[in-house]
């Protein structure tokens, strides 16, 4: 298994406290913080895109590009298996839907 990325504090104080409550010791890496957000984003008021921009300083598009790379990492599956499996399943389903739409367009 590969090691997680080096630890870098990237989240506001509230989110670091949340990470510690969830069993983290010390600041979260950006990638770990992204998994934490995916696990619990629905608990907080406001749009997810706003939370992404505020916490990570990136657009929603870039966030999802990075997140897709993160969920393919072995350490991510070990860190949060339920969230990673859910995200992988959702990604696969979206890919199937896009492929089906493309095929139906080509057939016409």
């Amino acid at each position: 298994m590969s090691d997680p990325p080096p630890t870098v504090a990237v989240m506001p104080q509230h989110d670091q406290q949340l990470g510690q409550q969830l069993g983290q010791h010390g600041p979260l890496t950006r990638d770990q913080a992204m998994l934490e957000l995916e696990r619990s984003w629905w608990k907080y008021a406001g749009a997810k895109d706003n939370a992404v921009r505020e916490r990570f300083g990136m657009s929603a598009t870039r966030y999802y590009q990075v997140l897709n790379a993160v969920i393919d990492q072995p350490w991510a599956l070990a860190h949060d298996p339920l969230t990673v499996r859910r995200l992988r399943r959702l990604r696969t389903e979206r890919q199937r839907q896009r492929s089906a739409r493309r095929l139906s367009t080509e057939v016409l």
Side-chain angles (χ1 to χ4, degrees):
M1 237 190 273
S2 62
D3 293 331
T7 301
V8 178
V10 295
M11 298 184 71
Q13 178 73 16
H14 172 268
D15 295 322
Q16 288 180 5
Q17 291 170 354
L18 174 65
Q20 290 169 352
Q21 290 170 359
L22 295 171
Q24 296 293 326
H25 299 288
L28 299 171
T29 67
R30 179 199 64 186
D31 296 348
Q32 290 169 332
M34 291 173 85
L35 292 175
E36 298 291 337
L37 177 66
E38 288 299 316
R39 183 186 324 151
S40 61
W41 73 267
W42 51 270
K43 293 179 184 178
Y44 304 105
K48 185 176 178 183
D49 291 351
N50 292 338
V52 165
R53 193 171 313 284
E54 181 181 303
R55 293 179 187 187
F56 303 108
M58 61 178 78
S59 69
T61 301
R62 181 65 184 143
Y63 171 81
Y64 287 112
Q65 290 171 340
V66 173
L67 181 63
N68 276 313
V70 168
I71 65 174
D72 289 332
Q73 299 298 316
W75 70 263
L77 186 60
H79 175 74
D80 193 345
L82 292 176
T83 301
V84 170
R85 285 188 192 118
R86 177 177 55 85
L87 293 170
R88 287 177 178 178
R89 186 178 64 249
L90 291 170
R91 178 180 63 185
T92 300
E93 182 58 32
R94 284 190 302 272
Q95 289 170 340
R96 282 187 193 136
Q97 290 172 355
R98 281 193 300 274
S99 294
R101 280 194 304 265
R102 277 189 224 126
L103 289 174
S104 67
T105 308
E106 290 174 11
V107 171
L108 298 175

